[in-house]
Amino acid sequence: MSSIEKITIEQITKKNPLLSTFRSIIETSFYRNNVTKINQLSESYHLAKAASGSIVTDLPIYAPEKLGLPSDGKVLVANDGKIVGRTAAARKVIGQPGVDEQLYSGILREAIYNGCNKEFYSCEAIIGLSETFMIKAHLQLPKGFEHSLYAYLLNFQCLTPEYQALYSTSTAYTEGDIYLYADPEWHHPDFPDGLVLIDPEHNVAAVLGLRYFGELKKATLTLAWAIAHRNGFIACHGGLKQYRLADSNYTMAVFGLSGSGKSTITLAEHQHNYAVSVLHDDAFIISKEDGSTVALEPAYFDKTQDYPMKDPGIKYFLTGHNLGVTLDEKNQKVLVTEDIRNNNGRTVKSRFATPNRIDSVSEKLDAVYWIMKDDSLPPIVRIDDPVLAAVFGLTLATKRSTAENVTPETNLDELVIEPFANPFRCYPLAEDYYNFKELFEKQQVTCYILNTGYFNKEKITPDQTLACIELIIDHEDHFIPFGPLTAMSYVPIETLEPTFDDPTYLKKIRTNFERRLHFIQEQRTLMAGYNALPEEAALLIQHLLLELEEQTT
């Protein structure tokens, strides 16, 4: 077995590193009399279908039997209420500076005690789709949230006989199973926006007072990424695809926040000009040993803002989250998508949406693409220095999206830095910096930046972004030096040319580099220096600023 579910009597001691206060509190709750275990995906479907808050549409599920669903299965819809995105401010990671373990363990014990008077369901799923990495996860949810339980078993891999056999022969890790306790109905006067407790060292989490399904998905992935990180992998919040060319394969990874174009790039078929295989568009891991990759989920939790009802992609929808429903001309209940009802409408979309889907890639990665929304950069830039490549990932500049539940005063148009596009990291940032630096140095992975925002006040279109990638795949790219900045080059594109003789443009570049430098420097003191970075990162940015200064003098 990959992860550990059962331990011997002799191992049940305070010295066992698998055990902890939070793990004991959460795991214990799974064995209460008020918890009913759901063993089959089809059983969870029927529970969700019968739930009072569910809508049974007239949209049939594509190839339901292949997924373990009833042959007459329909797309089910459930809606949350006011909050329709992930609440990052609710997360508290045990072990990080300023997080009072004693305080939160008491709150968690009380939360679980208060759940004794209602019925709960539990289920199991597998995180990781290759024998090289598979971890078992257990979820507990109260009655009334059957739709989320069903979505969880669709999004991750339910324990079919096939996967049970694969799991039993997979690589073993000295890690406990993942346990996730969730109570969306929890309330606490000190936490009006809910509370997400993560104990990454012991693979447990609690999601309290939050209904949005994405909280369950990301809490689980947070723990799975932490496990992978401890065991020789690089945790990746991004997409990965492989182009099968005539004489070779080209494997690329793209990293960006929701709304940056990550899924668009990963799932693009390039008008069928290439034979393309897709690993995943959101969660995977890279082996530090050989550069191979593994997907963590079989399905896709996709935004529906770009899917009008007539889009053929709706054929692969399995669920609807925060979506409208209406009657069509045949009196059938169908979806109202495109974020008409609210922002961040979502679906769990089946793996069949990408018929070229694969679960692992044995060949090493060829290239990493950082997706930015940085208006000082042209559509595509190549980074030739491994340290600089890691620094750009470290200071990945982008914008927040409607997928996040943010405070009203948050400016969604403001450029922010999200290192490696992964807000779910629960270990020191420097460790990811060194991991990616090693990827560029030792495995000689090439680094590019894709600006999917604006440049020269012109919106860079998805077609332009994909065309840049195609130039590289076809070996037709002609990179030229990026002005005065060494180790950077770009592909000239008409109307999207940098103007290095324009002081205003140079100031824009300088301002964005200064923002990156400030971010690196402030990590020395934030959270008591928990995310402090090596001096070389700041020195390199300072060197680039010096090169810019010399250009203007």
Side-chain angles (χ1 to χ4, degrees):
M1 297 290 186
S2 287
S3 52
I4 299 169
E5 182 176 4
K6 301 170 185 177
I7 57 179
T8 66
I9 291 292
E10 290 76 18
Q11 292 172 319
I12 306 174
T13 71
K14 291 183 69 173
K15 294 181 179 180
N16 189 335
L18 295 179
L19 301 176
S20 74
T21 296
F22 284 90
R23 184 173 185 85
S24 184
I25 293 170
I26 290 172
E27 183 187 351
T28 298
S29 72
F30 278 73
Y31 309 122
R32 296 179 302 181
N33 287 337
N34 64 334
V35 180
T36 301
K37 187 174 181 180
I38 305 304
N39 294 305
Q40 301 292 332
L41 177 62
S42 58
E43 187 180 2
S44 74
Y45 169 80
H46 287 299
L47 286 171
K49 181 180 178 181
S52 61
S54 291
I55 299 169
V56 183
T57 73
D58 290 302
L59 300 174
I61 289 174
Y62 175 76
E65 296 93 342
K66 292 181 180 179
L67 295 169
L69 292 170
S71 59
D72 60 350
K74 298 292 194 293
V75 174
L76 306 180
V77 174
N79 295 320
D80 294 328
K82 180 180 178 181
I83 306 303
V84 293
R86 189 181 59 83
T87 307
R91 284 168 61 101
K92 303 294 180 184
V93 179
I94 305 304
Q96 290 188 348
V99 178
D100 187 333
E101 181 172 341
Q102 186 173 358
L103 169 69
Y104 288 113
S105 64
I107 290 171
L108 181 58
R109 289 196 305 272
E110 193 70 14
I112 291 176
Y113 172 78
N114 288 331
C116 286
N117 295 320
K118 53 187 175 183
E119 296 298 314
F120 279 76
Y121 297 109
S122 71
C123 66
E124 297 175 348
I126 296 296
I127 319 302
L129 304 179
S130 165
E131 287 177 292
T132 59
F133 188 85
M134 302 180 83
I135 302 295
K136 185 184 285 188
H138 308 257
L139 169 68
Q140 185 181 163
L141 268 172
K143 186 175 182 179
F145 294 90
E146 292 84 354
H147 188 269
S148 290
L149 185 93
Y150 171 56
Y152 193 86
L153 288 174
L154 289 172
N155 185 85
F156 296 110
Q157 180 58 56
C158 57
L159 275 165
T160 63
E162 175 192 0
Y163 272 90
Q164 182 64 63
L166 192 64
Y167 179 72
S168 66
T169 60
S170 59
T171 303
Y173 294 101
T174 311
E175 299 278 355
D177 285 4
I178 290 172
Y179 282 88
L180 176 59
Y181 175 89
D183 187 353
E185 297 172 317
W186 178 84
H187 296 283
H188 194 291
D190 295 340
F191 301 95
D193 297 320
L195 179 63
V196 179
L197 292 173
I198 307 282
D199 181 355
E201 291 295 322
H202 302 95
N203 306 337
V204 295
V207 177
L208 305 173
L210 294 159
R211 305 185 193 110
Y212 177 57
F213 172 72
E215 301 286 3
L216 306 179
K217 169 183 161 74
K218 292 306 186 185
T220 303
L221 288 175
T222 295
L223 296 173
W225 275 321
I227 294 169
H229 174 75
R230 288 193 294 269
N231 289 279
F233 295 91
I234 303 173
C236 300
H237 180 225
L240 188 139
K241 67 195 302 184
Q242 185 177 72
Y243 297 82
R244 301 187 304 280
L245 308 175
D247 55 355
S248 63
N249 291 332
Y250 181 80
T251 307
M252 62 172 281
V254 291
F255 294 81
L257 290 181
S258 179
S260 67
K262 169 169 56 76
S263 294
T264 299
I265 294 168
T266 305
L267 303 178
E269 296 181 342
H270 299 270
Q271 298 182 332
H272 303 285
N273 292 328
Y274 306 92
V276 177
S277 296
V278 173
L279 186 82
H280 204 264
D281 73 335
D282 188 60
F284 67 97
I285 55 176
I286 304 171
S287 168
K288 292 169 63 176
E289 181 180 351
D290 59 15
S292 61
T293 49
V294 177
L296 298 184
E297 311 162 286
Y300 310 96
F301 187 50
D302 274 3
K303 292 165 72 71
T304 59
Q305 65 181 10
D306 297 323
Y307 287 94
M309 189 56 216
K310 65 180 180 180
D311 193 296
I314 290 199
K315 171 183 178 180
Y316 303 104
F317 284 18
L318 301 174
T319 64
H321 303 253
N322 301 314
L323 295 181
V325 172
T326 191
L327 298 175
D328 68 6
E329 72 279 6
K330 299 177 183 178
N331 201 40
Q332 294 182 319
K333 292 191 288 291
V334 296
L335 304 177
V336 178
T337 54
E338 299 183 284
D339 284 2
I340 294 172
R341 180 184 185 273
N342 48 259
N343 288 329
N344 199 38
R346 290 274 180 163
T347 180
V348 175
K349 191 170 65 175
S350 84
R351 64 181 297 133
F352 302 129
T354 47
N356 45 3
R357 178 64 193 272
I358 51 178
D359 292 335
S360 62
V361 176
S362 58
E363 299 101 322
K364 85 171 188 69
L365 199 59
D366 290 298
V368 161
Y369 292 74
W370 306 126
I371 306 178
M372 310 274 188
K373 288 194 175 182
D374 182 338
D375 62 358
S376 70
L377 298 175
I380 186 162
V381 177
R382 190 180 68 206
I383 311 300
D384 298 317
D385 176 74
V387 177
L388 183 57
V391 167
F392 266 110
L394 172 70
T395 58
L396 189 144
T398 187
K399 295 180 180 181
R400 298 296 179 198
S401 78
T402 56
E404 300 173 76
N405 173 35
V406 295
T407 57
E409 62 271 16
T410 300
N411 181 2
L412 294 179
D413 291 323
E414 183 180 351
L415 205 63
V416 295
I417 288 176
E418 190 61 73
F420 307 107
N422 190 355
F424 312 107
R425 182 184 305 97
C426 52
Y427 47 83
L429 177 55
E431 295 178 16
D432 261 355
Y433 170 79
Y434 284 121
N435 279 345
F436 280 100
K437 178 185 171 185
E438 182 177 316
L439 193 69
F440 296 122
E441 272 183 337
K442 295 187 178 179
Q443 298 195 26
Q444 297 183 323
V445 172
T446 306
C447 178
Y448 301 93
I449 298 172
L450 294 171
N451 177 12
T452 59
Y454 284 82
F455 186 73
N456 289 347
K457 297 183 179 180
E458 182 178 331
K459 179 68 176 73
I460 299 170
T461 67
D463 286 344
Q464 288 172 319
T465 298
L466 293 173
C468 289
I469 296 171
E470 290 169 5
L471 288 174
I472 293 168
I473 294 168
D474 295 335
H475 303 292
E476 295 178 358
D477 52 300
H478 301 289
F479 283 88
I480 62 175
F482 188 67
L485 300 179
T486 57
M488 294 177 64
S489 54
Y490 73 103
V491 174
I493 297 175
E494 189 177 355
T495 76
L496 296 171
E497 275 278 346
T499 50
F500 295 106
D501 58 350
D502 181 357
T504 302
Y505 175 65
L506 291 176
K507 181 181 179 182
K508 183 182 295 185
I509 299 176
R510 186 166 56 250
T511 297
N512 287 345
F513 274 122
E514 287 171 346
R515 181 182 286 112
R516 290 179 164 89
L517 178 60
H518 174 71
F519 172 83
I520 292 171
Q521 290 174 332
E522 70 178 354
Q523 302 312 309
R524 299 169 184 169
T525 55
L526 289 177
M527 295 177 62
Y530 180 81
N531 286 318
L533 295 156
E535 191 63 26
E536 67 181 10
L539 289 174
L540 191 52
I541 297 289
Q542 289 169 337
H543 175 71
L544 294 174
L545 287 168
L546 183 61
E547 289 184 326
L548 284 170
E549 185 177 334
E550 290 173 350
Q551 171 77 6
T552 58
T553 58

